[in-house]
Each structure stands twice: as C-alpha cells, then as structure tokens.
Amino acid sequence: MVKAATGDAGGLSERLAGIDHVSVASVVAGDFDVIVEAESTEVYDVINSVATRVRELDGVADTKTYVCLE
C-alpha cells in the first residue's frame, strides 16, 4: 500500500510498476493511493524492494507492507 505525497497517483503507479518483483500497481480510492502487488519465490526479495526501491521514489509519502503466506 502506497500513499502518494504529490497527489499524482497515476504517475507514481507507473514508476512503481517498473520496480523489480512488482507485478501490478493499481490506483485506488481510500486511505492509500496505490496498491502494489509484488511476487517472488523469496519473501526477502519483495521486502527488500519495498524497503529500498519503493520508499526512495519521489512522491511516496508512506507505505504499508502485507505479506500473503499462501
């Protein structure tokens, strides 16, 4: 879950879609502006992408990460 700082959720979702392991970045209405789905065989790879690549993007105000265990 990504909250946009700039109000440009559409542009941010396009940049998010280009990050390693990201399969979908969708603009949504609600408390957050973009839902990002990321996939990998290793949970560490997904968490590392969020911790390093997503948070460093201009326009990212906040993130929440949820891991699906299925």
Side-chain angles (χ1 to χ4, degrees):
M1 310 291 278
V2 179
K3 185 173 284 197
T6 62
D8 181 23
L12 182 58
S13 71
E14 290 176 10
R15 293 193 308 274
L16 289 163
I19 293 178
D20 292 341
H21 307 293
V22 171
S23 55
V24 177
S26 302
V27 176
V28 297
D31 292 335
F32 286 85
D33 302 303
V34 182
I35 293 177
V36 176
E37 292 183 37
E39 297 180 43
S40 178
T41 56
E42 298 294 326
V43 172
Y44 173 80
D45 292 335
V46 173
I47 292 171
N48 187 47
S49 288
V50 171
T52 58
R53 307 275 318 277
V54 171
R55 290 185 184 147
E56 72 185 8
L57 288 177
D58 286 338
V60 172
D62 191 20
T63 65
K64 297 284 186 208
T65 304
Y66 301 92
V67 177
C68 179
L69 302 176
E70 293 183 350

